[in-house]
Amino acid sequence: MQPTNYQQLTRTFTRLARFGHLSAIAGWDMYTMMPPGGSQARSEALAELSVLQHQILTDQQVGDWLEEAEQEPLDCLQRANLREMRRHYQQAAILPAELVEAKSLAGSRCEHAWRSQRPANDWQGFAPNLQEVVRLSREEAAIRADTLGCSRYDALLDIYEPEMTSARLDTLFADLQSWLPQLLQQALEKQAQHPPVAPQGPFPVEQQRALGLEVMTLLGFDFEGGRLDVSAHPFCGGVPEDVRITTRYSEDDLFSALLGVIHETGHARYEQGLPREWSGQPVQLARSTAIHESQSLFFEMQLARSTPFLKQLRPRVLNHVADRPAFNEANFIAWNQRVKPGLIRIDADEVSYPAHIILRYQIERALIDGNIEVADIPELWDQKMQSWLGLSTRDNYRDGCMQDIHWTDGGFGYFPTYTLGAMYAAQLFQAARKALPTLESDIAEGSLNALFDWLRQNIWQHGSRFTTGQLIRNASGEDLNPAHFRHHLETRYL
């Protein structure tokens, strides 16, 4: 019997998913285990794989199948899958294969060099590599914008966050800027009345790792389908059946690595909770980058920094790390809920964190639109950091504009999804609180299954079946409403 057009498409996308699996694991290895000498060969191999995937996806026959499948009798789930297939096809078909390969190679080179250039504070060495990535990203943005009929930056933003535009971001971020600086100042003044005491190290890496693994278990991570490793920049990668998360350790700071593990575990639980019965199909994938980020921030900020969870966490910390005066319960909670503006984004508290994102959004948007050049980044970064947080990064590139990995591979349009994710996370936690009247006491007792079941039912199991807007409306009863984020911050910190 001749397969239908839709069946031909599902076979093609299953094949693409398998290549994507190999690419994800090879990428994870490049960031964690690969010796430096393997960089060039691995970059070329991954570029070759990306070109192969691009060729399969953009074959004219795939376009024909997409057109014909529209006329076939499909159920609601298949229609959603077809919608996502078309989106993947259109995103890829816009670009020539040569650009896909060039961008992959440039990104791999830039990221590999960044690993040694960042610790050396070597902006002069890093800038030429970044300039090439920016050049290719601008070329990609121009092609996408011409096809989609939007601005260059919006064309890149659409890759990560469908339905979102820079105009909508400007509105959301302008609202944040109208009240967040005052809230930050009030939180700092309140905290100054009883400043928390810093835990004194050293905290051996072996103890930190054991603690992280125990907390991952508490948070429901499936070790049969994933693992924890070390990388220069924490991330979650792999595939739903084999999720790889990483952190980085400092013997001077116990909580940086631990909260990084909790953050990445949130990403991982989302991946592990995606619908396996749709494996290999676009409809199985996470809905969007902001929804993905909402899950990691749900775990790290909404849950793990809450007072009930910190009371549950403290004895687990003491099981692995020798007791210290700073670990008395009141100080333990205060330290993990402290507000302290700093230079490093991934270590930022949740009140000052949006400043880091808006800064990057404004710079990368101007960069892609051609209003600034790579050489302008350090000075702009310093100006915006001083304006927002009163901190200077002049001549400190390592802790300024070189601290993130995202721009090294051309991930422009990604950063706004972090603060969108924080807004979604606050809204979802509020919805979960309404649905689960005993949530606070459950968390205090370490009983988290009801909360995770709620996430599974409302977010994880749906993959990309619904649009982002519909997913959030179904889960919370309303569209994205940043008022929940403000209410959360005011309640916790004021």
Side-chain angles (χ1 to χ4, degrees):
M1 183 177 176
Q2 181 72 16
T4 66
N5 294 284
Y6 179 78
Q7 288 170 335
Q8 296 278 23
L9 287 166
T10 60
R11 293 173 184 178
T12 300
F13 276 89
T14 295
R15 187 179 178 215
L16 284 166
R18 289 167 180 164
F19 283 128
H21 183 157
L22 294 176
S23 179
I25 299 304
W28 163 85
D29 176 77
M30 182 167 69
Y31 297 137
T32 56
M33 303 289 188
M34 186 187 75
S39 176
Q40 182 63 30
R42 181 64 56 84
S43 298
E44 292 170 355
L46 285 171
E48 188 73 31
L49 190 52
S50 68
V51 170
L52 176 60
Q53 291 171 278
H54 184 265
Q55 289 172 341
I56 294 171
L57 181 53
T58 59
D59 189 290
Q60 179 58 50
Q61 197 167 38
V62 174
D64 293 341
W65 289 334
L66 285 167
E67 291 299 317
E68 295 298 328
E70 285 286 356
Q71 312 308 318
E72 294 176 347
L74 304 176
D75 62 27
C76 292
L77 179 57
Q78 291 170 329
R79 288 280 168 204
N81 196 31
L82 185 62
R83 179 196 69 219
E84 295 302 305
M85 288 173 171
R86 188 180 306 106
R87 173 174 165 76
H88 282 251
Y89 172 77
Q90 290 171 344
Q91 289 275 9
I94 291 171
L95 302 180
E98 306 79 53
L99 178 57
V100 173
E101 181 177 26
K103 194 159 180 269
S104 177
L105 286 169
S108 293
R109 279 195 298 267
C110 189
E111 185 279 328
H112 182 73
W114 169 84
R115 292 191 222 176
S116 58
Q117 288 165 343
R118 185 198 172 208
N121 202 40
D122 181 14
W123 170 256
Q124 298 305 318
F126 177 68
N129 287 329
L130 181 60
Q131 182 63 60
E132 178 63 9
V133 173
V134 169
R135 184 186 71 80
L136 293 167
S137 295
R138 284 173 172 171
E139 185 178 337
E140 175 185 1
I143 293 171
R144 291 188 181 279
D146 287 346
T147 304
L148 299 175
C150 62
S151 74
R152 294 182 179 187
Y153 186 77
D154 281 8
L156 296 184
L157 178 62
D158 181 69
I159 298 171
Y160 303 100
E161 203 56 29
E163 306 173 67
M164 187 53 64
T165 65
S166 53
R168 175 74 169 130
L169 286 175
D170 288 343
T171 300
L172 291 167
F173 290 168
D175 175 67
L176 266 179
Q177 285 183 271
S178 73
W179 56 263
L180 189 64
Q182 182 180 8
L183 191 153
L184 176 60
Q185 188 58 40
Q186 290 174 326
L188 287 170
E189 289 170 359
K190 179 184 177 186
Q191 181 179 276
Q193 298 172 17
H194 303 284
V197 178
Q200 297 300 311
F203 303 101
V205 169
E206 296 79 11
Q207 294 177 2
Q208 292 193 54
R209 175 174 168 79
L211 172 62
L213 292 171
E214 180 178 340
V215 174
M216 288 169 69
T217 300
L218 173 66
L219 296 174
F221 184 88
D222 178 10
F223 286 96
E224 290 295 309
R227 53 181 288 141
L228 170 67
D229 292 282
V230 177
S231 67
H233 190 98
F235 70 91
C236 174
V239 294
E241 299 82 4
D242 182 8
V243 182
R244 309 296 178 94
I245 73 171
T246 70
T247 192
R248 61 186 181 196
Y249 298 103
S250 166
E251 295 205 339
D252 297 327
D253 187 346
L254 173 67
F255 294 106
S256 177
L258 178 59
L259 288 165
V261 166
I262 293 172
H263 179 99
E264 301 306 335
T265 300
H267 282 305
R269 287 300 314 271
Y270 186 18
E271 288 291 317
Q272 291 181 335
L274 291 170
R276 297 294 175 86
E277 64 271 24
W278 307 340
S279 183
Q281 298 305 304
V283 76
Q284 185 208 22
L285 300 176
R287 174 57 255 166
S288 72
T289 311
I291 295 299
H292 225 310
E293 203 56 40
S294 77
Q295 300 308 287
S296 60
L297 293 173
F298 192 104
F299 273 58
E300 179 194 3
M301 298 299 186
Q302 297 293 322
L303 174 61
R305 290 186 194 261
S306 70
T307 296
F309 187 89
L310 289 170
K311 288 182 178 180
Q312 180 67 215
L313 180 64
R314 179 174 167 271
R316 297 173 189 275
V317 169
L318 295 178
N319 282 340
H320 293 277
V321 178
D323 197 2
R324 290 158 169 78
F327 285 166
N328 74 73
E329 185 176 271
N331 190 78
F332 185 88
I333 293 169
W335 180 256
N336 283 289
Q337 292 180 349
R338 74 193 184 285
V339 177
K340 185 180 180 182
L343 298 177
I344 303 301
R345 174 185 62 84
I346 65 169
D347 293 334
D349 61 87
E350 61 179 332
V351 181
S352 61
Y353 191 96
H356 292 266
I357 298 309
I358 295 173
L359 176 156
R360 287 156 173 78
Y361 161 64
Q362 291 173 343
I363 290 177
E364 71 175 15
R365 183 177 170 188
L367 196 62
I368 292 301
D369 287 344
N371 297 323
I372 64 169
E373 298 299 333
V374 167
D376 300 320
I377 293 175
E379 183 177 353
L380 272 172
W381 194 288
D382 182 57
Q383 290 174 2
K384 291 178 182 295
M385 186 62 76
Q386 294 209 47
S387 173
W388 266 101
L389 300 178
L391 302 171
S392 176
T393 58
R394 186 165 296 280
D395 298 324
N396 180 5
Y397 311 110
R398 176 180 58 247
D399 298 328
C401 56
M402 288 181 68
Q403 66 181 268
D404 297 299
I405 200 172
H406 305 64
W407 287 347
T408 64
D409 66 354
F412 300 102
Y414 188 106
F415 275 119
T417 65
Y418 284 113
T419 289
L420 290 173
M423 293 176 180
Y424 283 129
Q427 187 164 328
L428 290 171
F429 203 85
Q430 181 62 25
R433 188 180 280 116
K434 287 182 180 178
L436 304 170
T438 61
L439 180 59
E440 299 294 323
S441 59
D442 288 347
I443 294 171
E445 295 168 5
S447 178
L448 304 177
N449 286 340
L451 180 60
F452 297 150
D453 285 344
W454 186 90
L455 285 172
R456 183 178 297 105
Q457 291 167 15
N458 288 278
I459 303 295
W460 301 346
Q461 71 173 355
H462 299 297
S464 283
R465 181 173 187 171
F466 304 115
T467 64
T468 303
Q470 188 61 57
L471 183 70
I472 289 299
R473 285 191 293 274
N474 291 348
S476 70
E478 59 180 322
D479 289 316
L480 173 61
N481 181 357
H484 293 291
F485 184 51
R486 181 176 184 175
H487 175 73
H488 161 68
L489 294 181
E490 289 175 342
T491 302
R492 178 172 288 176
Y493 295 99
L494 300 184

